[in-house]
Amino acid sequence: MTTTSRQVIVGKTIALEIDVRDATGQRSDADSLPEVAIIDETDYVRKTISTSGVMRIDTGRYRFNYTVPAGANTGVWTDHWRAVLNGFTTE
């Protein structure tokens, strides 16, 4: 798993992406769209986990565009993804 840190300005949109890989390390489409949740630095869930807004952009690659709301707190936020590949769930 790769973790990337980026600075995002309040009111701007960030493209969050994941690659789903099989046991051999090759990108592979998930059984269905992955789910994503957004949690802020106070552990407040800004977006509950769902497939809403998630799109497939290439084989095994998925994107969710998130606009940081006005008045949002500064800190380290987390995008939490969950995908199912060949019947197995990974987070």
Side-chain angles (χ1 to χ4, degrees):
M1 180 175 85
T2 302
T3 302
T4 303
S5 294
R6 290 179 245 164
Q7 187 173 23
V8 183
I9 298 169
V10 170
K12 298 295 182 181
T13 300
I14 184 170
L16 303 169
E17 294 183 356
I18 62 161
D19 288 340
V20 176
R21 298 184 182 273
D22 65 17
T24 65
Q26 299 300 309
R27 281 197 337 219
S28 182
D29 285 335
D31 296 355
S32 58
L33 282 176
E35 299 173 299
V36 63
I38 307 292
I39 300 110
D40 74 12
E41 81 291 345
T42 65
D43 288 331
Y44 178 77
V45 177
R46 294 286 184 152
K47 177 196 180 298
T48 58
I49 196 155
S50 74
T51 60
S52 178
V54 175
M55 63 191 108
R56 178 185 177 274
I57 57 171
D58 199 356
T59 301
R61 180 166 287 172
Y62 299 88
R63 177 182 294 154
F64 176 73
N65 294 319
Y66 183 74
T67 302
V68 179
N73 296 327
T74 299
V76 177
W77 291 30
T78 304
D79 51 318
H80 178 95
W81 293 84
R82 180 168 50 212
V84 178
L85 180 61
N86 299 325
F88 294 94
T89 302
T90 186
E91 297 193 39

